[in-house]
Amino acid sequence: GIKINNYEYYEFQTTTLNQLKESKIIPDRDYGKYSTRRPDMLLVDRRDKENIKVIVVGEYKRPAEFNTESKRLLAIQQCNDLAQELRAKIGIITDGQTYIWINPNQNDSKNDYEDRTTNKKRSYSFIENEDKKPLSEPFILHEIRNNEPDNDTKNTLYYLDRVLNSINENNSILKSTSEVDPLPLAKSVWQDIYINTGKPETTCLYNVVELFLFKFLSDLNVITPPNDFNSVINLYSTTKEEDVLKYYVYNSRRQIMELFPKGNDGTTIINGSIFIDSNGEPASGQAHLFRTLLEKYDNFGSLKNIKKEFKTKLFETFLKVSKDKSKLGQFLTPRKVVRAIVEMSDVDKLQDGAKFCDPFCGVGGFIAESLHKPNRKSDFEPKNGKISPKIIYHGYDKGMDEDGQLTIVLAKANMLIYLSEVLEKNPTLTKEFAKVLNDIFLLYTDSNLGTLKHIITDENDKYDLILTNPPYITSGVTSIKSEIKKEEGLDNFYTLNGKGVDGLAVEWILKSLKKNGKAFIIVRDSLLSAKQNKRLLDFLLKEFYLNCIISLPVKTFFNT
């Protein structure tokens, strides 16, 4: 057989139950009149040789034996006969195209029949999805190579696990995947860090996210023993608090960094700065706080199956209470605005190979939100161990110091949380996920100009779609324009003399769109009315189609 996780998978043509019993592939029982029956497929748990369990019995038919209702009914009953004799959990009937899943352990009077071999009265139920439609997912298992199952095998194992956790003699309907909302937990952890350290709100958020990802990646089996969350928290029964924190920093935290290597800009998915000092060593003075927070995460339970609302609210919840209003205006766009723009943008209709960008991406809301669109959901599904999105995603921001890294680190963490379902199915592909996150999000550290320094001249490199909320900054713009004059080629690019950084940003956006490209840009009212922007607006109306202006309500942007 083929070894697949905890199971062994067998396909047969001529092997009888007696022969399988002698080979210790099925339980050692008297199968009576069924001793000479030949199953087509078995999935068996043989980890305990004294207690072998048959999980699935499969019945394969040629299309000609499966092309009428009466033929399908006969095949189902044949499968059920064997499944009940072998005390299997599931029956699968297929012609290679259609797949029928049955529960041989729940009777349904509509499916009562008499076994042609033994004259026993038998019954079964069809296994159904949460929507009460028959489960018809393919049951395909291939040998796992290099610890990485192919997509068909992954899908089968996913549904197999769900079915086994749902069905019994009283139920054949898949349980809906229960979702969890960790927002109250995150708020509580953030409050503890803020009160105990007095650090800025955004710095506290860094550390909330780091501990969240530690528990989250452990629950998804991405981080495994002895460095996973459960292993670390269990150390407290035998180890001092300071030593547990050291273990986390030197082992678990280091493993996260190895699983998700830094990009060329030096950022990865975590960058907490409260439990480590400036030299990267454990901050022993925070050992008790660290324990308190781990116990909160432990008491909460699993972070699998996170509610979509949490993914969208996490950063908004914390950043909108920040006292630093200028930073808030710089990198937070309310989720309702993001969602509305993504809906209007037709990002899901972009052709393969198209380029989509947020040149001032903050925590990456526009890019992450686009993953909810039907055609974009599959962009990050690995194929043959590689993640190759059908369109090109780019998100840029700038940061000249550790605090400046905040937005890109949070953008990568945010995106990873959005991709939790895909990551759960592919826990060994962390470096591939890291590569795609590093390819998408880039922190410019070479100049205060950030994205504005990096102009695009080649038409093929320009963007088909830009969704963005440029920074609203007027103070200090003189120094920005002074830097533009110093950089070779920039003075000839920025010719429209727009007011403020957002005026320069709009010029960058307009000149970075491909022919027939579209941009959805959030701007201040004053950008559209200031006399200083006349050349910019004349250029826009001459060279582009202005499709729509939408006026947003006062206080849309929280306390800015």
Side-chain angles (χ1 to χ4, degrees):
I2 299 172
K3 187 87 168 68
I4 299 175
N5 293 355
N6 296 325
Y7 307 115
E8 291 173 28
Y9 176 65
Y10 297 87
E11 291 182 353
F12 311 103
Q13 287 184 329
T14 59
T15 312
T16 66
L17 292 191
N18 261 353
Q19 291 170 318
L20 293 171
K21 179 175 73 172
E22 289 167 11
S23 300
K24 295 184 170 57
I25 290 172
I26 61 174
D28 185 4
R29 291 198 298 270
D30 181 4
Y31 293 100
K33 292 182 179 181
Y34 277 87
S35 296
T36 56
R37 282 283 290 271
R38 300 175 176 87
D40 294 332
M41 177 273 283
L42 293 177
L43 186 72
V44 186
D45 183 345
R46 296 178 66 243
R47 288 174 292 174
D48 181 355
K49 300 297 189 296
E50 302 303 315
N51 186 25
I52 295 168
K53 294 179 180 176
V54 178
I55 307 299
V56 180
V57 171
E59 184 79 21
Y60 292 129
K61 294 295 184 184
R62 296 191 304 273
E65 301 172 310
F66 207 63
N67 57 5
T68 67
E69 283 299 321
S70 59
K71 290 177 182 178
R72 280 195 285 274
L73 180 60
L74 180 60
I76 292 168
Q77 292 173 355
Q78 288 175 339
C79 179
N80 189 58
D81 294 344
L82 262 182
Q84 291 187 351
E85 290 296 321
L86 289 166
R87 300 175 192 170
K89 307 280 188 186
I90 302 167
I92 301 287
I93 307 93
T94 180
D95 64 349
Q97 297 296 320
T98 301
Y99 290 82
I100 299 170
W101 296 58
I102 63 168
N103 178 0
N105 299 303
Q106 184 186 27
N107 295 338
D108 183 339
S109 59
K110 296 194 296 291
N111 301 322
D112 291 348
Y113 68 98
E114 187 175 286
D115 178 348
R116 292 167 178 78
T117 302
T118 62
N119 298 322
K120 280 185 185 178
K121 299 291 184 185
R122 298 192 189 270
S123 189
Y124 60 88
S125 293
F126 291 104
I127 297 174
E128 298 177 340
N129 263 311
E130 304 98 308
D131 58 6
K132 299 191 177 177
K133 293 180 180 176
L135 184 63
S136 58
E137 288 291 325
F139 191 93
I140 300 171
L141 294 171
H142 296 132
E143 188 171 0
I144 297 175
R145 301 183 184 277
N146 301 321
N147 295 318
E148 180 56 33
D150 61 27
N151 289 337
D152 288 334
T153 302
K154 277 182 208 164
N155 190 66
T156 298
L157 291 174
Y158 171 74
Y159 277 97
L160 180 66
D161 186 52
R162 288 192 62 196
V163 169
L164 291 175
N165 284 321
S166 300
I167 70 167
N168 51 46
E169 63 275 9
N170 300 312
N171 178 60
S172 295
I173 301 171
L174 290 192
K175 294 175 185 172
S176 58
T177 309
S178 56
E179 294 182 319
V180 297
D181 182 5
L183 193 58
L185 168 69
K187 284 181 179 177
S188 175
V189 170
W190 180 85
Q191 188 78 14
D192 282 354
I193 294 174
Y194 183 62
I195 290 172
N196 280 274
T197 66
K199 296 282 187 182
E201 295 93 331
T202 48
T203 302
C204 296
L205 178 58
Y206 257 147
N207 295 273
V208 172
V209 171
E210 176 167 326
L211 294 184
F212 179 89
L213 287 176
F214 175 43
K215 178 71 162 64
F216 170 71
L217 293 172
S218 297
D219 290 342
L220 296 186
N221 297 316
V222 173
I223 305 174
T224 53
N227 297 329
D228 67 318
F229 182 91
N230 288 336
S231 299
V232 171
I233 202 162
N234 287 338
L235 288 175
Y236 285 115
S237 60
T238 58
T239 311
K240 287 194 270 184
E241 290 177 346
E242 292 84 355
D243 292 332
V244 175
L245 177 57
K246 284 180 184 176
Y247 187 90
Y248 167 75
V249 171
Y250 293 141
N251 296 279
S252 305
R253 192 175 194 276
R254 197 162 286 171
Q255 185 178 0
I256 296 173
M257 306 287 269
E258 289 170 357
L259 290 171
F260 296 90
K262 293 180 178 180
N264 293 331
D265 60 3
T267 65
T268 179
I269 59 171
I270 60 171
N271 196 22
S273 54
I274 286 173
F275 301 111
I276 58 169
D277 61 24
S278 57
N279 297 316
E281 296 297 314
S284 57
Q286 301 296 351
H288 183 68
L289 175 62
F290 181 73
R291 177 177 185 170
T292 301
L293 300 182
L294 287 198
E295 288 173 346
K296 283 195 171 185
Y297 277 105
D298 188 42
N299 291 334
F300 181 83
S302 175
L303 293 177
K304 281 185 177 183
N305 306 318
I306 300 166
K307 278 190 174 180
K308 175 188 169 184
E309 288 76 10
F310 171 78
K311 300 175 187 180
T312 63
K313 284 180 185 174
L314 176 61
F315 302 113
E316 188 170 295
T317 298
F318 296 106
L319 296 181
K320 74 180 180 184
V321 300
S322 171
K323 296 185 180 75
D324 189 343
K325 297 182 182 180
S326 62
K327 257 192 177 178
L328 180 68
Q330 183 181 342
F331 57 61
L332 181 67
T333 307
R335 188 59 47 171
K336 288 179 181 179
V337 178
V338 170
R339 190 172 295 136
I341 290 175
V342 169
E343 284 294 325
M344 289 188 289
S345 71
D346 288 338
V347 63
D348 53 326
K349 296 178 183 175
L350 289 176
Q351 298 296 309
D352 290 1
K355 302 184 76 175
F356 163 37
C357 178
D358 181 350
F360 310 96
C361 69
V363 295
F366 284 113
I367 293 173
E369 187 66 29
S370 69
L371 302 188
H372 290 307
K373 302 301 290 179
N375 288 356
R376 301 278 67 97
K377 284 181 180 178
S378 61
D379 277 355
F380 296 90
E381 290 279 356
K383 292 181 175 59
N384 301 317
K386 298 292 180 186
I387 301 175
S388 302
K390 292 176 183 175
I391 66 171
I392 296 166
Y393 296 82
H394 283 156
Y396 304 129
D397 218 308
K398 71 170 183 176
M400 303 294 287
D401 53 23
E402 190 171 287
D403 284 341
Q405 294 181 5
L406 173 71
T407 54
I408 288 294
V409 171
L410 294 183
K412 290 180 179 181
N414 190 22
M415 188 83 163
L416 194 68
I417 293 169
Y418 265 76
L419 294 171
S420 57
E421 291 87 354
V422 185
L423 181 62
E424 183 177 359
K425 291 182 185 178
N426 302 276
T428 61
L429 294 183
T430 57
K431 290 186 178 174
E432 191 64 22
F433 281 96
K435 179 181 179 300
V436 79
L437 292 176
N438 292 336
D439 286 345
I440 291 172
F441 295 109
L442 178 63
L443 183 74
Y444 286 127
T445 59
D446 56 349
S447 164
N448 285 321
L449 295 175
T451 303
L452 298 177
K453 177 182 174 181
H454 298 270
I455 60 176
I456 305 171
T457 54
D458 189 326
E459 180 69 18
N460 293 324
D461 292 334
K462 293 183 179 182
Y463 292 101
D464 299 274
L465 179 64
I466 293 176
L467 310 182
T468 195
N469 178 9
Y472 308 156
I473 301 169
T474 51
S475 60
V477 75
T478 304
S479 63
I480 293 288
K481 290 188 174 181
S482 176
E483 282 203 44
I484 286 174
K485 287 180 180 178
K486 290 179 185 176
E487 293 284 349
E488 185 178 349
L490 292 192
D491 215 15
N492 294 328
F493 181 84
Y494 294 103
T495 58
L496 303 177
N497 197 33
K499 183 183 179 183
V501 173
D502 46 344
L504 294 167
V506 170
E507 184 171 358
W508 187 97
I509 293 162
L510 296 176
K511 293 180 177 179
S512 300
L513 277 176
K514 279 183 184 173
K515 186 176 181 181
N516 296 321
K518 292 195 296 185
F520 292 74
I521 316 169
I522 298 173
V523 297
R524 293 177 295 166
D525 288 356
S526 59
L527 184 134
L528 302 176
S529 58
K531 290 180 180 178
Q532 191 177 331
N533 288 328
K534 186 175 187 309
R535 286 174 63 191
L536 174 65
L537 300 176
D538 285 347
F539 175 78
L540 189 157
L541 293 172
K542 180 184 175 189
E543 301 291 339
F544 295 82
Y545 293 99
L546 180 59
N547 290 325
C548 187
I549 296 175
I550 297 173
S551 179
L552 296 169
V554 174
K555 296 293 182 185
T556 295
F557 290 83
F558 307 118
N559 56 352
T560 57

